[in-house]
Amino acid sequence: MKFHSQSPEEALKNLQSSINGLDQETVEKIRKKHGWNEIPEKGRTHWIWILLRQLKSLLVFILLIAATISWFIGDMLDVYVILGIVILNAAIGFFLEQKAEKAISALKKMMVVKARVLRNGKSIIVMARELVPGDIVVLEEGDSIPADCRVIESKNLRCIEASLTGESVPVGKQTEALPENTVLADQINMLFKGTFVASGFAKALVSGTGTNTAIGDIADTLSSIKNEKTNFQKKTDILATQMSVLAIVSAIILYVLGSYFSDLSNEELMLISIAALVAAIPEGMPAILSLVLAIGSHRMAKRNVIIRQLNSVETLGAVTVIITDKTGTLTQNRLIVEKIMQLDKQEFKVGEEGITQVENSEQNPTKIDLQKNPALDKLLQIAAISNNSEIKYNQEKKTDEIVGDPTEGALKVMAKIGGIILADTDKSKKIDDLPFNSKLKYRATLFEDNNRRELFVIGAPEKILEISSRFLDKEGEKTKTEDIQKHIEGKIEEWSNDAMRVIGLAYKTTDTTTEKISEKDVSNLVFAGIVSMFDPPRPDVKQSIEKCRNAGIRVIMATGDHVNTAKAIARETGIISTQKENETLALTEADLLDLDENGFAEAIQKIDVFARLSPRMKLKIADHLQAKGELIAMTGDGVNDAPALKKADVGVSMGIMGTDVARDASDVVLADDNFSTIVNAVEEGRIVFTNVRQTSFFLITTNFASLSILIVLVAMGYPIALTATQILWLNLVTDGVADLALAAEKGHGDELSEKPVHKNENILTRKALPILLLIALFMMGMSLVTYFYYLPQGIETARTMVFIVMASSQLFNLYNMRALKKSVFKIGFFSNPYINVSMLFSFAILIGIIEIPFFSSLFKFVLVDPWEFAVLISISSIVLWMGELFKWVKKKSNPKQP
């Protein structure tokens, strides 16, 4: 039922209530129908299921099959090694995964504990969960609103609804009915659960409780949104499928080839097939991928990005659209006065350096001397005195903070910048104060100074101008003229069109016997001037949006604020350019609802600014873009943003201004609430994907080379060049240690100069195959030459030498994999110190397991002469030069390549 379109009397009648509230018997009957005023809490995921979820990977499943087969044939070393890898991978995922479904629980926390309600005409305090539709609640300044309500009586009522609607300033409330199609953000006769009373008093009729509220509707939406696999999970699943199919097919091929071309027994063929299975699967890949994400998450934390869902680290780098809120993300979430205009047509600019004349503010910003400008001094006094806000110094943050109404706070800061600091004394004090009244459109203060009483008034400029008969300029008070009035009205319109909040200031001298302010006193004022204020963009946002544009990322503003405000900020930040004739730059929800399906689709594709949006419309926009193949990062801080945050591919919430609901529905939290931090996160995300791809390629080259050697030798009827245990060592120790260093590779500075990786582009692509095949085939060729050269000295000698060549060539290949397009000499041999350390460490281990008798006998190696060892390592370095040659040729054939 749309209570906002009903009069108070109609709403009371429809809910069978009265101005005196309900009786207890009626309350019990209604509660049986509607239930308690609470949102059911969803059960939490047990830690056992979180742990088991880490094993839901095709790659892990194949490893477990390999371990099972090894166990059946009695190869327990392989069993222990593979199981150790599976456990390590599960442990990394379990301890690093931050995702937890707490959004519904956070919604419940938002409910107030107690509420003042009228029952049988008497005011009593009850638990908020006991409220039912039809109850009459009494609300005062500072109260949390316990349920959705229809205002039936109010006095100067204003509410803070930013967390629900995105409105950046307190909203004045009224009792009159509104049109039926009024969107939630404009329902100024309704109060919403979880918001707050900024000022004033109200009696309100409870119209919705529990899940039948605006917040409850969001809870239902959240619970209906299914968790889908992230883009990264989909890509790693495809990679696992590719590697698993290769492993199984290779094992079958080897078994068949062995049956036809060798005299090996069935048990020996099975062992070789197991070796092929082990060779084709990079056992260390699951753990390495988790570590790449963990390193990326750690780097992002240093840049104020807190990762709650580990897989979102990579997904951030692939986003094609960022849908961002306005207040607090693009802007600083604080009102500041920018300009002052007085009645002699002088304009002043307010800045940190002080108050300067507009025409001199750029070339020669000289501060205004208030003693020489008494009219400006008067305006600043009005701003400072007719004001209930406070400026308090935050010791922890080492900065001033506003306590109270944001508009009044901005005026007080302006007065302070101008040098006006007042304190009550015996000779100077407030006599009476009338808070802002949304009907009267002004606030007023009766002030006494040295036995002289004045009435200071601040409010809507049109209203203040209407009730003023004179004006003040540097020459003193003068009678208001039509010319002056038109000039003021023109300036009000100009500033309003620029999405400025314009405030008028006036005063008059009153009788010294006046003790109370009445409405009739507020007339025949002296108009002192107007000021413009706004929530300024963050200083680095425009540059960050330009970076997004260069990186192929579209930025869309989706806000609950007014459309003119949204357009003004969008222009300043570069989201939209200067308007062309008859071009639509922004749309409201009402505009979108008027469009048919095709019109809606066209609007979403062309328009980058949307205002006055409800939670459902944000969700609809996200759905539409995802259906078009876009990968979305959605920012938000309020309850209203939670459904869209959960639906987005990457939900980004605010750490400072964000609600618990928004944070718990998101994958990523910005510790500083800054849009520019999202761009930093995208950059890190792209580095992560590059590292995921390159670490995977590094492992694949070794595995492909090992597998090729096995197939060639079995097809030729020769003994295999490496045993399953030796291949496992290459995969897990030699490759594993080196891959850890590769996982820590930093960006090379060009991450934001290219378009995003397409959401359907796999980790292993055709573009990468030439260099991977070249290196793998070269490793295979060197290994086969080595094998046949040393085979006459015995199979163990041949295997030892092949092992040295394979391990060494892969270590040199580490430098190739640091960048697939750039030469290692260009990015610097020492720019990643972990690479060089891992090289030295891996070579030390390689020498140790061959030259130390215990390990040599365990792996069935023979001792190798140091000189011979050095020669084999040197020959293996050819892999590095082959990689460099390939990159050089490719660069020459495509000079535009970065």
Side-chain angles (χ1 to χ4, degrees):
M1 194 173 290
K2 297 182 178 180
F3 289 97
H4 66 272
S5 63
Q6 301 173 12
S7 68
E9 294 75 20
E10 289 173 330
L12 286 166
K13 183 179 178 181
N14 286 328
L15 287 173
Q16 299 179 356
S17 184
S18 72
I19 194 67
N20 294 319
L22 304 170
D23 57 57
Q24 192 59 38
E25 184 180 347
T26 305
V27 167
E28 296 297 335
K29 288 180 181 178
I30 296 173
R31 187 175 295 124
K32 285 180 181 179
K33 179 181 178 181
H34 292 278
W36 297 99
N37 180 30
E38 58 189 4
I39 297 170
E41 186 172 0
K42 183 182 175 182
R44 304 290 286 277
T45 304
H46 196 277
W47 67 269
I48 288 292
W49 299 113
I50 297 175
L51 183 61
L52 291 175
R53 193 161 59 206
Q54 311 308 314
L55 304 177
K56 288 175 61 178
S57 163
L58 184 58
L59 193 56
V60 170
F61 181 66
I62 294 296
L63 286 178
L64 292 175
I65 291 176
T68 303
I69 296 172
S70 297
W71 180 73
F72 271 115
I73 63 175
D75 194 347
M76 297 309 296
L77 179 60
D78 286 3
V79 173
Y80 296 143
V81 171
I82 293 173
L83 288 180
I85 288 298
V86 171
I87 292 169
L88 175 63
N89 178 63
I92 291 170
F94 178 76
F95 288 110
L96 291 177
E97 184 174 306
Q98 299 295 314
K99 190 172 181 66
E101 293 298 320
K102 297 184 291 184
I104 303 295
S105 176
L107 282 166
K108 186 176 180 182
K109 290 177 186 176
M110 290 189 66
M111 295 188 66
V112 294
V113 177
K114 295 179 180 179
R116 182 177 293 277
V117 63
L118 296 181
R119 295 269 169 87
N120 296 317
K122 295 181 179 179
S123 176
I124 61 172
I125 303 294
V126 300
M127 300 298 291
R129 70 188 297 268
E130 297 176 18
L131 293 176
V132 298
D135 265 328
I136 303 295
V137 292
V138 180
L139 298 164
E140 297 176 342
E141 184 175 334
D143 285 346
S144 293
I145 296 169
D148 280 9
C149 304
R150 172 66 166 88
V151 181
I152 56 175
E153 288 183 16
S154 70
K155 182 180 180 182
N156 304 328
L157 181 65
R158 291 196 297 164
C159 296
I160 298 172
E161 297 179 343
S163 66
L164 183 65
T165 67
E167 181 69 66
S168 56
V169 295
V171 179
K173 296 294 180 177
Q174 66 174 43
T175 58
E176 288 79 7
L178 298 167
E180 190 172 324
N181 62 350
T182 305
V183 296
L184 183 139
D186 292 330
Q187 292 175 12
I188 56 175
N189 57 8
M190 296 293 295
L191 308 177
F192 303 104
K193 178 162 55 157
T195 60
F196 300 88
V197 177
S199 62
F201 164 87
K203 282 185 181 179
L205 172 68
V206 174
S207 57
T209 57
T211 54
N212 296 317
T213 59
I215 289 180
D217 187 44
I218 292 170
D220 287 340
T221 306
L222 279 173
S223 61
S224 67
I225 298 172
K226 294 181 179 179
N227 287 323
E228 297 180 358
K229 283 188 175 182
T230 66
N231 192 55
F232 180 69
Q233 288 172 319
K234 292 173 184 176
K235 289 183 178 182
T236 52
D237 281 352
I238 291 171
L239 179 63
T241 302
Q242 291 170 334
M243 299 307 299
S244 300
V245 169
L246 178 64
I248 294 168
V249 170
S250 301
I252 293 172
I253 289 173
L254 269 176
Y255 190 84
V256 172
L257 287 174
S259 299
Y260 283 98
F261 297 105
S262 73
D263 299 325
L264 297 171
S265 66
N266 192 58
E267 184 177 341
E268 288 175 317
L269 279 175
M270 183 63 73
L271 280 170
I272 292 172
S273 298
I274 292 295
L277 193 68
V278 169
I281 299 175
E283 287 81 4
M285 187 175 286
I288 290 296
L289 294 182
S290 293
L291 285 170
V292 172
L293 296 179
I295 291 169
S297 177
H298 178 68
R299 286 177 179 169
M300 287 185 182
K302 289 183 176 180
R303 302 180 80 170
N304 291 318
V305 182
I306 301 166
I307 302 297
R308 297 185 63 249
Q309 165 57 281
L310 199 61
N311 288 314
S312 298
V313 173
E314 183 279 333
T315 308
L316 264 169
V319 296
T320 56
V321 178
I322 298 175
I323 303 177
T324 177
D325 198 6
K326 176 187 70 68
T327 306
T329 309
L330 296 173
T331 68
Q332 299 177 32
N333 196 33
R334 64 186 183 98
L335 286 174
I336 64 167
V337 175
E338 185 187 39
K339 291 180 181 178
I340 303 169
M341 194 201 80
Q342 292 191 284
L343 280 299
D344 50 9
K345 302 183 182 181
Q346 283 194 91
E347 286 190 35
F348 303 94
K349 185 175 181 180
V350 181
E352 292 182 2
E353 71 281 356
I355 299 175
T356 59
Q357 279 193 284
V358 167
E359 57 266 28
N360 297 328
S361 61
E362 298 296 331
Q363 296 97 357
N364 185 26
T366 306
K367 286 178 66 175
I368 296 296
D369 185 350
L370 294 183
Q371 290 185 349
K372 296 179 180 179
N373 195 325
L376 179 59
D377 183 60
K378 192 68 175 181
L379 182 142
L380 295 178
Q381 286 184 42
I382 297 169
I385 294 168
S386 190
N387 197 313
N388 287 331
S389 67
E390 294 181 66
I391 302 174
K392 290 188 175 180
Y393 185 73
N394 187 314
Q395 289 285 353
E396 186 178 335
K397 296 181 180 179
K398 307 296 183 186
T399 185
D400 286 337
E401 290 184 347
I402 300 296
V403 179
D405 184 273
T407 302
E408 294 181 16
L411 292 170
K412 184 153 281 189
V413 169
M414 173 190 71
K416 183 180 178 182
I417 289 172
I420 305 293
I421 301 175
L422 301 172
D424 279 358
T425 65
D426 291 337
K427 293 184 178 181
S428 176
K429 60 185 177 181
K430 284 186 181 182
I431 304 300
D432 191 23
D433 190 76
L434 178 67
F436 182 83
N437 184 304
S438 56
K439 284 185 178 179
L440 299 175
K441 297 184 179 180
Y442 60 73
R443 73 169 336 279
T445 301
L446 184 62
F447 187 74
E448 181 178 271
D449 185 26
N450 291 321
N451 295 319
R452 185 186 180 206
R453 293 191 179 182
E454 289 182 297
L455 183 65
F456 293 151
V457 185
I458 296 175
E462 300 89 349
K463 182 66 176 180
I464 303 299
L465 191 58
E466 177 190 324
I467 57 179
S468 297
S469 58
R470 289 166 294 165
F471 71 89
L472 179 70
D473 66 12
K474 59 185 178 182
E475 296 175 0
E477 296 180 9
K478 295 180 181 179
T479 302
K480 185 173 69 174
T481 64
E482 186 177 344
D483 181 55
I484 284 293
Q485 177 146 338
K486 283 184 178 179
H487 178 71
I488 297 168
E489 289 171 346
K491 185 58 66 175
I492 292 170
E493 184 179 3
E494 177 190 327
W495 285 354
S496 297
N497 288 338
D498 289 337
M500 296 289 182
R501 185 175 176 83
V502 186
I503 304 295
L505 300 93
Y507 73 99
K508 80 171 185 179
T509 303
T510 64
D511 192 86
T512 55
T513 60
T514 304
E515 295 291 335
K516 289 286 183 183
I517 301 171
S518 66
E519 189 176 339
K520 67 178 183 179
D521 292 326
V522 188
S523 61
N524 294 318
L525 304 178
V526 180
F527 199 88
I530 55 175
V531 301
S532 67
M533 59 179 68
F534 74 123
D535 180 9
R538 290 178 179 270
D540 49 358
V541 162
K542 189 169 186 176
Q543 181 183 0
S544 296
I545 288 173
E546 184 61 29
K547 283 183 179 179
C548 287
R549 193 169 282 115
N550 294 335
I553 300 170
R554 179 186 176 194
V555 179
I556 295 175
M557 181 197 293
T559 178
D561 215 336
H562 292 282
V563 66
N564 284 343
T565 307
K567 283 195 292 187
I569 295 299
R571 282 195 190 95
E572 265 196 80
T573 55
I575 293 176
I576 58 177
S577 57
T578 305
Q579 185 172 5
K580 299 176 184 176
E581 190 175 353
N582 299 323
E583 182 184 15
T584 301
L585 296 180
L587 292 175
T588 65
E589 177 162 339
D591 296 328
L592 291 171
L593 290 172
D594 287 339
L595 299 173
D596 59 21
E597 190 173 332
N598 291 334
F600 180 86
E602 186 179 353
I604 300 305
Q605 291 302 117
K606 291 184 176 180
I607 304 299
D608 290 331
V609 179
F610 300 96
R612 306 307 275 171
L613 296 186
S614 69
R616 288 192 182 279
M617 185 55 74
K618 282 191 175 183
L619 199 57
K620 186 177 179 181
I621 292 172
D623 272 334
H624 177 84
L625 289 168
Q626 286 175 321
K628 291 290 184 182
E630 303 288 0
L631 210 62
I632 296 172
M634 172 79 76
T635 78
D637 56 6
V639 178
N640 60 325
D641 298 315
L645 286 173
K646 190 172 180 182
K647 176 62 180 173
D649 297 289
V650 184
V652 183
S653 64
M654 305 299 116
I656 299 171
M657 297 300 296
T659 60
D660 286 342
V661 180
R663 281 193 288 267
D664 292 333
S666 66
D667 306 298
V668 175
V669 179
L670 303 183
D672 60 358
D673 290 10
N674 195 338
F675 178 85
S676 299
T677 303
I678 304 172
V679 182
N680 294 338
V682 169
E683 183 179 14
E684 288 292 345
R686 292 189 175 188
I687 293 170
V688 164
F689 181 73
T690 300
N691 289 351
V692 163
R693 176 168 273 175
Q694 289 169 186
T695 51
S696 300
F697 291 170
F698 177 75
L699 294 175
I700 288 168
T701 51
T702 299
N703 290 53
F704 185 80
S706 302
L707 188 61
S708 301
I709 294 167
L710 281 174
I711 292 174
V712 169
L713 291 177
V714 169
M716 294 175 67
Y718 284 93
I720 57 175
L722 294 170
T723 66
T725 304
Q726 289 168 351
I727 293 171
L728 266 178
W729 180 272
L730 280 175
N731 286 352
L732 300 178
V733 181
T734 305
D735 288 357
V737 171
D739 225 16
L740 286 174
L742 198 56
E745 185 74 19
K746 294 180 180 179
H748 301 143
D750 56 354
E751 285 74 28
L752 294 179
S753 62
E754 298 183 6
K755 303 298 181 186
V757 173
H758 194 275
K759 64 182 295 185
N760 295 326
E761 183 176 329
N762 296 327
I763 294 172
L764 182 59
T765 62
R766 290 183 180 180
K767 291 180 182 178
L769 286 179
I771 189 170
L772 297 184
L773 287 173
L774 175 69
I775 292 170
L777 290 174
F778 202 82
M779 289 171 65
M780 180 190 74
M782 287 192 300
S783 298
L784 287 175
V785 169
T786 303
Y787 175 84
F788 286 115
Y789 182 83
Y790 284 101
L791 186 59
Q793 299 180 33
I795 187 61
E796 288 192 354
T797 301
R799 284 173 176 167
T800 303
M801 302 307 180
V802 169
F803 185 87
I804 293 171
V805 170
M806 283 290 293
S808 301
S809 58
Q810 184 64 329
L811 288 175
F812 283 111
N813 186 40
L814 195 59
Y815 290 107
N816 289 327
M817 293 297 107
R818 288 185 62 193
L820 296 181
K821 296 178 181 178
K822 292 183 177 181
S823 166
V824 69
F825 297 100
K826 185 175 181 180
I827 63 177
F829 261 100
F830 302 101
S831 57
N832 183 351
Y834 302 108
I835 294 287
N836 301 317
V837 171
S838 70
M839 285 280 288
L840 294 173
F841 182 72
S842 296
F843 273 124
I845 292 177
L846 175 63
I847 294 168
I849 63 166
I850 290 175
E851 301 298 339
I852 297 173
F854 172 78
F855 294 108
S856 181
S857 61
L858 182 66
F859 286 93
K860 298 179 181 179
F861 290 137
V862 298
L863 298 178
V864 179
D865 181 77
W867 173 251
E868 203 166 18
F869 216 128
V871 170
L872 290 173
I873 290 175
S874 299
I875 292 172
S876 301
S877 71
I878 297 175
V879 167
L880 169 61
W881 308 114
M882 288 298 297
E884 285 294 309
L885 179 62
F886 177 87
K887 293 175 189 177
W888 182 81
V889 171
K890 194 171 182 182
K891 177 71 175 176
K892 285 293 182 182
S893 62
N894 184 14
K896 293 182 180 180
Q897 176 184 294

